[in-house]
Amino acid sequence: MEPGEPEEPGWEPGWEPGEPGWARGGPALGGRGLLALAVASGAAAWATWALVLMPGFRRVPLRLQVPYQPSSPRQVANALALLRGRAGKTVDLGSGDGRLVVEAYKQGLRPALGYELNPWLLCLANYRAWRAGYHGKVSFLKEDLWKVDLSDCNNVIVFLAPSVKPPLATKLLAELPDGARVVSGRFPFPSWTPSSTLGQGLEQVWAYDMKEVRRAAQSSAQGSPV
């Protein structure tokens, strides 16, 4: 650079013209920087839990709490494939963001509704229904799935953790009509024999026809020693 010529804007010692800014690097994170990063990450995780997940857990006993985990497109397709050709009231227990309910309605399963306690997920579910053009046609209710009456349901979708399947099986046996079908995703009901199944691994789903489940339960009870 000639004497008196203005310096190139942004020039710093040790930096060559044309070198992108991100290539210059920066000071390495010291112990305090790493600690601050860890605290910030922890705070973000806690905020996600407090705002998105925890509101749905406050009124549910610890052993019956189920964390939110969205269903994959293949899981949704497999579940609805096992309900193809059926009709009548269809419910998703713990409906999360509403994707299964919306797809059930598309398939002609009506009325279609979901039960969910988390208010943020309910908002997301209603937004999903609105985007699909089904606002007012599907329902998402802020109710505890353990307290709702399922006696008028023809199809029940269950994507829940294995820990809640045994107590849920008792509820379904007590309330569902013989013609009802239960479709379980990710994990089967441990004491029931499925009528059919589809998929592999975490994408596997199981269908249970309540008439067959009751018949098997009665045969097992009759064969048990008193």
Side-chain angles (χ1 to χ4, degrees):
M1 183 170 57
E2 298 297 329
E5 183 180 347
E7 292 184 353
E8 188 171 341
W11 184 87
E12 297 177 7
W15 173 67
E16 295 297 328
E19 182 184 11
W22 53 262
R24 282 180 279 172
L29 283 176
R32 291 184 178 180
L34 291 173
L35 178 60
L37 181 61
V39 170
S41 300
W46 181 88
T48 301
W49 164 259
L51 293 176
V52 178
L53 300 177
M54 189 171 62
F57 287 168
R58 288 174 179 151
R59 295 182 291 165
V60 181
L62 181 61
R63 68 185 182 88
L64 301 181
Q65 292 180 0
V66 181
Y68 167 60
Q69 183 177 357
S71 305
S72 71
R74 177 50 56 188
Q75 288 171 338
V76 173
N78 288 345
L80 293 176
L82 294 183
L83 293 175
R84 189 170 294 126
R86 293 181 59 82
K89 183 177 180 179
T90 301
V91 301
D92 182 9
L93 301 180
S95 52
D97 63 8
R99 64 186 64 192
L100 280 159
V101 174
V102 169
E103 293 301 320
Y105 186 88
K106 285 182 182 179
Q107 187 169 299
L109 295 167
R110 303 170 185 177
L113 65 151
Y115 294 111
E116 175 61 55
L117 281 177
N118 190 302
W120 301 99
L121 292 176
L122 285 169
C123 290
L124 183 57
N126 281 299
Y127 173 71
R128 181 183 292 274
W130 174 79
R131 283 194 61 187
Y134 300 144
H135 178 67
K137 299 178 181 179
V138 298
S139 302
F140 299 101
L141 306 178
K142 188 180 180 183
E143 295 189 34
D144 186 345
L145 66 87
W146 300 102
K147 298 177 181 178
V148 297
D149 181 9
L150 302 175
S151 59
D152 62 343
C153 298
N154 285 20
N155 309 292
V156 178
I157 302 173
V158 180
F159 273 69
L160 299 174
S163 60
V164 305
K165 293 296 176 68
L168 183 59
T170 301
K171 176 179 174 64
L172 297 176
L173 275 171
E175 297 181 14
L176 289 178
D178 278 347
R181 169 169 281 199
V182 177
V183 173
S184 178
R186 297 194 187 103
F187 306 100
F189 283 88
S191 60
W192 291 1
T193 300
S195 305
S196 56
T197 185
L198 182 64
Q200 298 292 330
L202 288 179
E203 295 179 345
Q204 187 171 5
V205 294
W206 297 261
Y208 304 90
D209 293 320
M210 292 310 299
K211 188 173 183 178
E212 296 180 13
V213 171
R214 285 197 176 93
R215 184 183 296 120
Q218 291 169 358
S219 298
S220 178
Q222 292 172 358
S224 301
V226 178

